[in-house]
Amino acid sequence: MNTTSPPASTVHADIAPWRPAFAFAFIALLLFGFAYSLVGTGIGRLLFPHEATGSLIEQDGVVVGSSLVAQPFADDRYFQPRPSAATYDAMAVAGSNQARTNLDLRARIEEARMQVAAREGVAIDAVPSDLVTQSGGGIDPHVSPEAARLQVARVARARGLAVEQVEGLVAAHTQPASFGVFGAPRVNVLELNLALDALPRAAGAH
Amino acid sequence: MTEAIVVLLLVIAAGWPLGHYLAAVMRGAPMHGDRVFGVIEKPVYRLLGVDPSEGMTWKAYAAAFLASNAILGVLAWVVFMTQAWLPLNPNGAPNMRWDLALHTAVSFLTNTNQQHYSGQAQLSHLAQMTGIVGLQVVTPMMGLALVVATLRGLFGGRTPPSASAQATVGDVDVGNYWADVVRPSVRVMLPLCLLWSVLLTWQGVPSTLDGGPVATPVDASAGMAAQKIPLGPVAPMVAAKQIGTNGGGWYGPNSAVPLENPTPLSNLLEMVAILLIPVAITFMVGAFTERRRFSALVFGTMLLMSLVSGSAAIWSEGHSATASDIAVMEGKETRFGAGSSALWAAVTTQTSNGSVNAMHDSLAPLTGLVTIANMLVNGIWGGIGCGLQQFIVYLLLGVFLAGLMTGRTPELFGRKIEAHEVKLLAVLVLLQPLVLLGFTAVTLAVPELTGNSNPGFHAISQVFYEFTSAFANNGSGFEGLGDATAWWNLSTTLLLVLGRYPALLIPLAIAASLARKRVTPEGIGTLQVETPTFALTLVAVIVILTLLQFMPILVLGPIADHLALSAP
């Protein structure tokens, strides 16, 4: 080091900087990490209480799900969500991580196509991709408008509703791409199914 | 494509003023906001026991960087291994095994955020808020600090602010490490993170300390009696992961999970956040060094590479022959579709972010090729600080090669590049292929180690992707890999370290060595680097030096995968 400069600065440049390193590590974790997270959480919670707490849907005081988490539907009276690699377990969210060249993936998709085609009474080629593929997170709450329309006839039949009525409901629940540019058009399956349940019972059903 | 253009325009419009602000913050001169931010900064410097105006030699700077990393890493490691005994663990995450905790700590310490765990089940809220978010906030600013110190060196070092910090010719002042990290953390990173955190909550990203309720699904006949909805202080974490080129998700599948990225609008916000600071840094360069043409060179070169790579990804995923494949939506989310997923895949690997909104394993093989190529270059925008640092390496190499071709002594900004600097550069140039190909070869040679989820050519891609992602400090993955094993945790931990510290410190050492040299005034014979011609030379250097040496494995992996897919 420079011999002409005062000793203090010489020392500062030479010693291993453990003291500031220790202090900095605690500041990083507690102030920049923990305190920042608390403040961000608090502001978000205050401004957007519904969104901040998971966009939950309640019925008669019971949480029946979240708009942002797909749940399984089996009954013919309901629209089906996309297949899930996580069996709709939000604690185990996952995609299949199978490559397009993976034969297991091909077999699974073929099987799903046949099942969907049989269930909906349509040709195999009419089945859209999203209805037979597993989403990235395994809890994709949406299906494409095509996938929803494909299921209209079956749902209407099972509920004894007019096809037009169910079609109208699907149309009302179809969200377009944001500003027409971002993302893709979609239908929230859980919200659509709850809207179906909320319809007044059709005459002659059951 | 429209979405890509909108993202780019938004990022440039916001990045321009941000870049100039960043330059002012890093210059350290008195500025607007000193009073407000001083409230946080002054006590911080007092706790650190440092004088933020004091200069450092490059060695002292590097020592401070390494020491702060060592302590931070150990603390985070301990938090991950003991989280079950600590408070704020509503979903009962167990303690992490030592090797997984080590990989996680080093992964976040190196601004990589490669994850061999699933956060919603394996990390407590406390571990996320301290070990994860704390590192996500400061590590990108450490990268920024290092590149700013390198820039100071390239232009001869900082002018001594006071007589007591005056350095002799042998000791170039490259700045004060602590000030270089604390100032941008407080004045840039945290304000941006808070803003994004609130915006994301508005779109539906959870923002609560609760662990989340157990829902009763509507159709009991489907066989699911209860569905746990995992919540937490997710929004602040996601904001930090995107703003700071970090990339690690709260939930395992990252921003593909609707709770982490609920709408196309949140997707747009997150993509803008991914690019914002890396692009702003290209504008910062000009303001900081007072050489606008230098900024134009960096921005132009990076933009060119970004457009080529982004277009290739969007074409491959959304418009090529494989786009009509019935499997196109595998691993993708309905609300994003193929277009937004491809754009994201390009953006997240161009910037060393590494968060994903679709599973890269299931992308079309050529989109996978684009993402791997982006990570090999690692300087198309790049991570915060490390991207520009990598660019400086390419710049030095380009100047050296161009100098050899024109028969002149290579020099950059008037300072000669000689044997010492070239030797240091050679270390960096050789490290990447040795490490990546070496570890890929060893892993593929021992099938018990690999843990592939896919057979055939794609299995080669999976292994190469994982190492490339670790070394590039990107963090994305072909996530089917069974990578939570001791082999993967420890081998990638080593690569994380090898990919971070030499790449940040060697350019600093070179810059400090250049700073000591006499400046030759620029004349007619000087190679003009800040020109379109040299930018193209630079791109050629990058393609030849970085991509072509990996051609064999790229052919064996993604290209063969593509051919197998398109073969009749």
Side-chain angles (χ1 to χ4, degrees), chain B residues 338-545:
Chain B
S340 296
S341 304
L343 176 60
W344 182 299
V347 162
T348 194
T349 46
Q350 288 176 1
T351 56
S352 167
N353 181 289
S355 64
V356 298
N357 77 347
M359 294 299 106
H360 285 193
D361 245 339
S362 306
L363 291 174
L366 289 185
T367 320
L369 175 67
V370 172
T371 59
I372 294 177
N374 286 346
M375 291 188 292
L376 289 173
V377 173
N378 207 19
I380 314 179
W381 312 123
I384 293 175
C386 12
L388 181 59
Q389 198 77 327
Q390 185 64 42
F391 185 89
I392 291 172
V393 169
Y394 290 135
L395 187 61
L396 290 163
L397 282 171
V399 166
F400 176 65
L401 293 176
L404 290 184
M405 285 191 282
T406 56
R408 293 180 190 284
T409 315
E411 55 178 50
L412 183 63
F413 304 128
R415 295 184 165 83
K416 287 194 174 67
I417 299 165
E418 291 165 305
H420 175 64
E421 291 81 30
V422 174
K423 275 184 200 157
L424 286 171
L425 278 177
V427 173
L428 276 184
V429 172
L430 290 175
L431 192 62
Q432 188 192 29
L434 277 180
V435 165
L436 292 187
L437 297 175
F439 272 90
T440 305
V442 169
T443 308
L444 286 173
V446 188
E448 302 87 76
L449 294 181
T450 57
N452 289 123
S453 67
N454 290 291
F457 301 118
H458 192 81
I460 297 175
S461 303
Q462 277 190 308
V463 170
F464 187 60
Y465 193 113
E466 184 75 4
F467 284 126
T468 304
S469 169
F471 189 77
N473 292 166
N474 182 279
S476 63
F478 275 4
E479 291 296 349
L481 206 61
D483 51 19
T485 61
W487 163 255
W488 275 115
N489 285 335
L490 298 180
S491 64
T492 48
T493 297
L494 179 66
L495 261 67
L496 292 166
V497 170
L498 289 176
R500 172 83 169 174
Y501 299 99
L504 282 178
L505 291 175
I506 288 181
L508 177 63
I510 293 174
S513 145
L514 286 176
R516 282 194 288 269
K517 299 187 184 188
R518 195 190 315 250
V519 182
T520 347
E522 295 185 23
I524 295 175
T526 312
L527 174 71
Q528 295 295 325
V529 296
E530 291 144 331
T531 60
T533 322
F534 188 76
L536 288 177
T537 314
L538 215 49
V539 173
V541 167
I542 293 169
V543 170
I544 293 167
L545 269 186

Side-chain angles (χ1 to χ4, degrees), chain B residues 5-315:
Chain B
I5 295 165
V6 173
V7 169
L8 192 62
L9 292 179
L10 281 176
V11 167
I12 291 175
W16 178 263
L18 181 62
H20 288 80
Y21 176 63
L22 259 177
V25 169
M26 298 316 284
R27 221 179 277 124
M31 61 185 287
H32 244 37
D34 279 345
R35 281 244 309 274
V36 180
F37 294 117
V39 174
I40 304 175
E41 287 175 356
K42 278 180 192 144
V44 166
Y45 292 133
R46 245 197 321 277
L47 280 170
L48 296 180
V50 299
D51 169 8
S53 65
E54 194 183 58
M56 288 179 167
T57 65
W58 86 267
K59 283 184 181 161
Y61 202 97
F65 169 57
L66 291 174
S68 64
N69 274 249
I71 310 280
L72 255 180
V74 170
L75 272 185
W77 187 28
V78 170
V79 170
F80 299 147
M81 284 192 299
T82 57
Q83 57 180 357
W85 304 323
L86 300 173
L88 272 176
N89 186 14
N91 293 338
N95 291 334
M96 261 193 188
R97 209 176 61 211
W98 72 271
D99 57 321
L100 182 59
L102 178 69
H103 176 266
T104 306
V106 173
S107 171
F108 283 79
L109 188 65
T110 53
N111 193 226
T112 311
N113 294 213
Q114 191 171 48
Q115 295 170 291
H116 291 171
Y117 66 91
S118 263
Q120 76 282 355
Q122 285 172 274
L123 279 184
S124 72
H125 286 3
L126 185 80
Q128 296 263 28
M129 294 166 85
T130 57
I132 299 294
V133 177
L135 294 182
Q136 284 180 331
V137 169
V138 298
T139 60
M141 298 303 106
M142 290 171 169
L144 179 66
L146 265 289
V147 82
V148 163
T150 305
L151 284 176
R152 291 190 186 113
L154 283 180
F155 290 93
R158 201 163 65 153
T159 327
S162 66
S164 71
Q166 186 143 22
T168 59
V169 181
D171 297 318
V172 179
D173 172 7
V174 294
N176 184 293
Y177 171 75
W178 305 108
D180 283 349
V181 176
V182 171
R183 281 175 68 91
S185 298
V186 173
R187 294 170 188 238
V188 180
M189 188 68 192
L190 288 174
L192 279 177
C193 285
L194 269 180
L195 174 64
W196 248 263
S197 172
V198 174
L199 289 173
L200 289 173
T201 306
W202 163 53
Q203 284 301 299
V205 180
S207 197
T208 168
L209 291 182
D210 294 339
V214 175
T216 313
V218 174
D219 183 3
S221 70
M224 183 181 240
Q227 186 183 41
K228 166 86 183 172
I229 313 284
L231 304 175
V234 183
M237 188 266 195
V238 177
K241 100 174 176 190
Q242 305 300 27
I243 294 280
T245 58
N246 290 292
W250 181 282
Y251 302 97
N254 213 294
S255 281
V257 176
L259 289 164
E260 192 152 339
N261 190 3
T263 63
L265 201 55
S266 69
N267 196 59
L268 175 73
L269 283 168
E270 290 187 29
M271 266 196 285
V272 168
I274 287 173
L275 284 164
L276 185 57
I277 296 187
V279 172
I281 284 178
T282 68
F283 299 128
M284 178 200 80
V285 172
F288 186 77
T289 63
E290 287 166 357
R291 287 182 79 115
R292 298 214 165 271
R293 289 172 62 89
F294 186 22
S295 232
L297 172 76
V298 180
F299 176 73
T301 313
M302 289 184 173
L303 180 67
L304 176 67
M305 292 190 287
S306 171
L307 290 177
V308 171
S309 127
S311 311
I314 292 172
W315 168 81

Side-chain angles (χ1 to χ4, degrees), chain A residues 80-91:
Chain A
Q80 306 278 320
R82 299 181 62 187
S84 165
T87 60
Y88 307 100
D89 179 356
M91 284 303 278

Side-chain angles (χ1 to χ4, degrees), chain A:
Chain A
M1 277 307 292
N2 181 3
T3 47
T4 58
S5 63
S9 78
T10 317
V11 175
H12 268 274
D14 272 348
I15 53 160
W18 293 116
R19 151 85 199 274
F22 258 105
F24 181 76
F26 280 97
I27 289 166
L29 297 192
L30 298 180
L31 184 66
F32 297 168
F34 191 75
Y36 150 69
S37 292
L38 272 189
V39 173
T41 305
I43 299 175
R45 182 92 205 242
L46 208 68
L47 293 180
F48 309 104
H50 173 70
E51 288 81 2
T53 47
S55 310
L56 301 176
I57 302 176
E58 286 188 30
Q59 273 190 335
D60 311 321
V62 178
V63 177
V64 293
S66 158
S67 300
L68 297 177
V69 180
Q71 53 180 256
F73 285 95
D75 198 305
D76 268 353
R77 297 162 60 253
Y78 290 114
F79 283 85
Q80 306 278 320
R82 299 181 62 187
S84 165
T87 60
Y88 307 100
D89 179 356
M91 284 303 278
V93 274
S96 73
N97 291 308
Q98 286 174 325
R100 300 238 182 128
T101 42
N102 191 326
L103 295 177
D104 293 344
L105 171 72
R106 294 290 162 185
R108 168 162 60 75
I109 290 180
E110 276 317 301
E111 198 190 320
R113 283 174 97 187
M114 284 192 287
Q115 273 178 9
V116 171
R119 190 178 69 211
E120 313 297 347
V122 296
I124 283 192
D125 288 341
V127 178
S129 172
D130 65 298
L131 207 50
V132 292
T133 47
Q134 296 174 342
S135 65
I139 52 170
D140 188 348
H142 301 107
V143 292
S144 65
E146 301 80 57
R149 280 197 292 273
L150 194 78
Q151 306 184 48
V152 164
R154 186 242 318 152
V155 171
R157 197 163 53 244
R159 287 186 177 256
L161 292 169
V163 168
E164 294 74 36
Q165 195 180 5
V166 180
E167 263 173 357
L169 211 54
V170 168
H173 278 83
T174 301
Q175 294 167 277
S178 305
F179 306 108
V181 179
F182 307 118
R186 60 211 182 274
V187 179
N188 189 302
V189 178
L190 177 59
E191 289 175 6
L192 176 62
N193 282 334
L194 288 175
L196 274 174
D197 277 351
L199 284 178
R201 275 283 158 90
H206 292 280

